[in-house]
Amino acid sequence: MTVKLFEPIAFKSVTLKNRIVMAPMCMYSVVKEDGQVTPFHLTHYESRAVGQTGLIMIEATAVQPEGRISMQDLGIWQDEQIFGLLNLNKRIHAHGATSAIQLGHAGRKAETNAPSMAPSAIAMNESDQKPIEMSKADISTTIEAFKDAARRAVQAQFDIIEIHAAHGYLINQFLSPLSNHRTDEYGGNKENRYRFLSEIISAIKTVWNGPLFVRISADEYNEKGNQIDDFIYFSQQMKAQGVDLIDVSTGGVIQAHINVYPGYQIRHAEQIKQAVNIPTGTVGLITSPLHAEEILQNERADLIFLARELLRDPYWPRRAAQELNYQLEAPKPYRRGWNR
Ligand SMILES: Cc1cc2nc3c(=O)[nH]c(=O)nc-3n(C[C@H](O)[C@H](O)[C@H](O)COP(=O)(O)O)c2cc1C
């Protein structure tokens, strides 16, 4: 049997050495509220690169300071932030890993000193402060901010960009009828609700030729929210715009009870992959190498995103190789430990 978890996969001219992805995870570890990379970030991401994870995706990184989920978020809203990210990339690349950055804006879920913005003045919870409804000028400024962030990502030598359109953050707020009650061309039918994301993709593509991933929440767990047909429509549009992979998560746009179990989001990735014929990534309570291999062999998804399991074990790829009986080459300094 060929072990698919360790098979390379190419997106445009970028080849990942295996199918294991470090899922984006906010570390809330910026020290001076300036969005800058710290020594902790270097250690944290480099450790997983040493551990042979193929693609290291940096946590949600804010394209505007008022779009931060917390004041401790990483940022890419100004040129001064490029140097730290470039340094981080050099550390990741030194171990043969590929790097990606997740570009994000929290919208009504932002927690900063500034008032939060959203497609409509609807708070997520009654206890939350109401966000300000974005004007057309606010929308244009935010699209420009995504584009400028992508330009900085080129300078910082990221291999892949992922747009964060999931978990109820700003772009997800535009996509969902639960949070978008606009009456202009950015709200109403699904074509209009997709417009904001569409314009962000187009703007990024003017400065970025590399692979582009988009993370979506393909289930809102609410009968008045988007349904799988809507996500298939959005994914078809993204494919037509040249998006290379849909990273499929769920939830976050509204409070909901979610029944979580191992691989609870795989079927969403599988449905989109089959219906749209586009590569997908799957995430969510995947911890076992055999489970990961099953998903890939049955063509239910193309990449396996691991979040909390990589916090527990930065050397998960080594464990996976042992369990799947695959000869994984050890990082040279670790050979005496790995090749027993
Ligand atoms: C500490 C932490 C921070 C997270 N931050 C992000 C983030 O920045 N962007 C994102 O899309 N998802 C984020 N997530 C969600 C994960 O990427 C992932 O989808 C989720 O944890 C389910 O995968 P798991 O069961 O492997 O942990 C975060 C999860 C954790 C545990």
Side-chain angles (χ1 to χ4, degrees):
M1 176 183 103
T2 348
V3 180
K4 219 166 166 188
L5 191 60
F6 290 96
E7 254 183 26
I9 182 170
F11 296 95
K12 299 205 164 78
S13 61
V14 175
T15 301
L16 316 192
K17 64 181 172 185
N18 59 46
R19 310 298 182 95
I20 308 167
V21 184
M22 180 177 190
M25 278 181 283
C26 285
M27 287 289 108
Y28 310 111
S29 294
V30 167
V31 178
K32 293 186 186 154
E33 303 189 349
D34 55 1
Q36 289 280 5
V37 168
T38 67
F40 168 78
H41 296 102
L42 298 178
T43 306
H44 171 64
Y45 291 113
E46 187 173 16
S47 306
R48 277 71 194 174
V50 173
Q52 300 304 302
T53 292
L55 174 61
I56 308 288
M57 189 173 290
I58 307 305
E59 63 201 80
T61 303
V63 302
Q64 286 180 316
E66 60 274 23
R68 281 175 288 179
I69 300 165
S70 85
M71 299 290 271
Q72 286 70 43
D73 286 7
L74 283 180
I76 188 162
W77 65 80
Q78 54 189 10
D79 287 354
E80 288 70 21
Q81 289 156 338
I82 297 170
F83 180 77
L85 293 167
L86 176 63
N87 195 21
L88 176 57
N89 271 324
K90 286 187 180 149
R91 305 275 290 260
I92 294 171
H93 289 148
H95 308 287
T98 303
S99 69
I101 184 165
Q102 191 188 46
L103 300 181
H105 190 302
R108 71 180 184 180
K109 284 177 136 181
E111 288 188 20
T112 69
N113 299 331
S116 66
M117 294 195 304
S120 303
I122 308 167
M124 179 153 167
N125 299 302
E126 276 175 18
S127 55
D128 294 350
Q129 226 186 345
K130 258 195 193 171
I132 296 169
E133 177 175 316
M134 287 168 78
S135 64
K136 293 266 185 71
D138 293 330
I139 290 177
S140 304
T141 308
T142 308
I143 293 169
E144 272 304 295
F146 272 95
K147 176 178 147 187
D148 290 341
R151 174 184 51 78
R152 295 185 189 106
V154 176
Q155 290 174 275
Q157 294 180 9
F158 282 101
D159 304 302
I160 295 173
I161 286 180
E162 174 165 288
I163 300 172
H164 195 351
H167 302 164
Y169 295 116
L170 184 62
I171 300 173
N172 197 172
Q173 290 158 31
F174 271 88
L175 292 175
S176 176
L178 300 169
S179 45
N180 182 347
H181 292 187
R182 295 179 76 92
T183 52
D184 63 5
E185 68 268 34
Y186 290 95
N189 59 27
K190 60 179 184 299
E191 290 79 6
N192 282 355
R193 297 197 310 278
Y194 179 71
R195 192 176 310 280
F196 183 59
L197 175 54
S198 159
E199 291 181 359
I200 288 173
I201 294 170
S202 302
I204 287 178
K205 281 190 154 276
T206 62
V207 294
W208 177 260
N209 301 320
L212 184 61
F213 293 3
V214 180
R215 177 171 269 204
I216 60 168
S217 278
D219 198 335
E220 299 183 349
Y221 302 103
N222 187 295
E223 61 191 17
K224 296 200 177 104
N226 283 313
Q227 306 301 320
I228 189 68
D229 287 350
D230 299 304
F231 294 111
I232 288 172
Y233 167 78
F234 297 145
S235 303
Q236 282 164 338
Q237 299 305 305
M238 286 189 261
K239 183 182 175 187
Q241 286 191 274
V243 167
D244 297 279
L245 175 134
I246 314 281
D247 168 11
V248 185
S249 187
T250 70
V253 83
I254 203 163
Q255 293 291 353
H257 172 73
I258 305 176
N259 177 27
V260 296
Y261 50 84
Y264 67 103
Q265 299 174 143
I266 299 168
R267 67 193 154 89
H268 304 87
E270 185 172 10
Q271 276 173 305
I272 290 173
K273 182 174 167 60
Q274 302 307 337
V276 183
N277 191 20
I278 187 168
T280 58
T282 186
V283 68
L285 279 183
I286 301 164
T287 56
S288 129
L290 261 185
H291 191 190
E293 186 64 15
E294 179 276 319
I295 296 164
L296 297 171
Q297 291 284 359
N298 282 317
E299 298 184 4
R300 306 172 75 192
D302 301 84
L303 292 180
I304 305 293
F305 284 62
L306 302 176
R308 289 163 292 180
E309 189 63 4
L310 278 179
L311 295 185
R312 290 183 280 266
D313 182 3
Y315 305 113
W316 189 89
R318 176 179 167 267
R319 173 150 62 87
Q322 282 183 321
E323 276 189 43
L324 299 172
N325 209 10
Y326 176 82
Q327 288 296 326
L328 179 65
E329 202 179 321
K332 202 169 160 212
Y334 288 7
R335 279 187 193 152
R336 285 178 64 182
W338 284 28
N339 300 347
R340 269 179 300 142

